[in-house]
């Protein structure tokens, strides 16, 4: 336990699926927060080594990749986090291994958290019909067209599916992830 953290999530493993172009703060801040709460996080990507973030209006820092998407198993994780950024989810949503992994997570009833443009990946699962969500405003129509019930709120939760709009919402997003993980498995979506 760190001086500022807790052991609330001790023994929990969190998958963070991202690739080049993820919004820096939307990966790094939830990762750090969840680790401070005692969770083990794995950055899962399309390539090994590292991936490069996007920091507001230019390329940001690199983050080490822990596992390739083809080697990741939903059974090994308690929750999934999908950071945003425009580039990252647009690349991820056309990769069948990513769509399959996220779809399996959605079916599992485990926590799925997506921020900003991250919910774009959720559209590809075909499982958003009737689900309450939020996102960055530019993908609102895509989510509505997928059958989601979009609202403009800091954080929206629907049976363990957590969504937020932008980096300003990260504190509320992080807290909800912890709360939902502690609640356990939700009704299968």
């Amino acid at each position: 336990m760190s001086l500022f953290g807790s052991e609330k999530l001790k023994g929990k493993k969190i998958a963070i699926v991202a690739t080049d172009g993820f919004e820096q703060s939307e990966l790094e801040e939830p990762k750090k927060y969840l680790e401070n709460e005692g969770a083990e996080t794995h950055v899962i990507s399309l390539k090994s080594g590292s991936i490069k973030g996007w920091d507001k209006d230019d390329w940001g820092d690199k983050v080490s990749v822990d596992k390739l998407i083809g080697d990741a198993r939903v059974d090994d994780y308690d929750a999934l986090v999908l950071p945003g950024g425009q580039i990252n989810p647009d690349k991820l949503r056309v990769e069948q291994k990513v769509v399959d992994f996220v779809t399996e997570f959605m079916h599992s009833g485990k926590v799925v958290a997506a921020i900003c443009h991250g919910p774009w990946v959720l559209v590809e699962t075909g499982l958003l019909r009737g689900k309450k969500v939020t996102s960055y405003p530019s993908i609102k129509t895509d989510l509505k067209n997928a059958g989601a019930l979009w609202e403009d709120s800091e954080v929206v939760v629907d049976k363990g599916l957590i969504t937020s709009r932008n980096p300003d919402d990260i504190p509320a997003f992080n807290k909800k992830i912890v709360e939902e993980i502690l609640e356990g498995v939700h009704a299968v979506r």
Side-chain angles (χ1 to χ4, degrees):
M1 180 165 92
S2 77
L3 185 59
F4 301 104
S6 78
E7 300 269 326
K8 284 182 192 172
L9 297 182
K10 186 176 172 117
K12 303 292 185 185
K13 288 170 101 176
I14 316 297
I16 302 172
V17 176
T19 193
D20 290 319
F22 64 87
E23 184 63 42
Q24 197 83 43
S25 62
E26 294 171 0
L27 186 151
E28 289 183 341
E29 289 182 35
K31 182 179 188 321
K32 182 179 177 185
Y33 187 88
L34 294 166
E35 288 171 352
N36 280 338
E37 293 294 330
E40 179 182 342
T41 64
H42 289 169
V43 174
I44 300 169
S45 193
L46 306 172
K47 64 178 188 169
S48 58
S50 64
I51 53 176
K52 195 169 200 170
W54 187 262
D55 195 5
K56 298 178 189 81
D57 56 7
D58 202 354
W59 290 103
D61 299 328
K62 290 182 178 181
V63 170
S64 294
V65 171
D66 298 302
K67 195 175 276 197
L68 293 173
I69 190 69
D71 298 330
R73 296 180 52 241
V74 171
D75 290 345
D76 294 339
Y77 296 98
D78 298 287
L80 168 64
V81 176
L82 296 169
Q86 291 176 310
I87 301 166
N88 168 60
D90 200 37
K91 285 182 174 182
L92 293 176
R93 68 189 183 136
V94 298
E95 294 291 334
Q96 194 59 50
K97 286 180 181 177
V98 172
V99 173
D100 292 346
F101 186 75
V102 174
T103 301
E104 189 178 341
F105 242 103
M106 291 285 288
H107 280 300
S108 75
K110 295 178 183 180
V111 172
V112 174
I115 189 167
C116 197
H117 288 76
W120 241 354
V121 180
L122 301 175
V123 169
E124 301 304 319
T125 69
L127 299 173
L128 289 182
R129 185 155 310 284
K131 302 288 180 254
K132 291 186 277 183
V133 300
T134 194
S135 68
Y136 197 75
S138 67
I139 66 166
K140 169 174 126 176
T141 301
D142 296 334
L143 292 164
K144 284 182 164 185
N145 287 343
L149 308 171
W150 192 91
E151 62 183 73
D152 184 14
S153 297
E154 181 179 57
V155 64
V156 174
V157 181
D158 189 329
K159 295 180 184 156
L161 175 62
I162 305 163
T163 50
S164 283
R165 302 170 300 191
N166 58 53
D168 293 338
D169 299 338
I170 291 172
F173 181 68
N174 289 343
K175 286 178 186 156
K176 273 298 174 198
I177 294 170
V178 172
E179 285 176 23
E180 292 295 306
I181 291 171
L182 292 175
E183 280 186 22
V185 176
H186 298 76
V188 176
R189 295 181 279 272

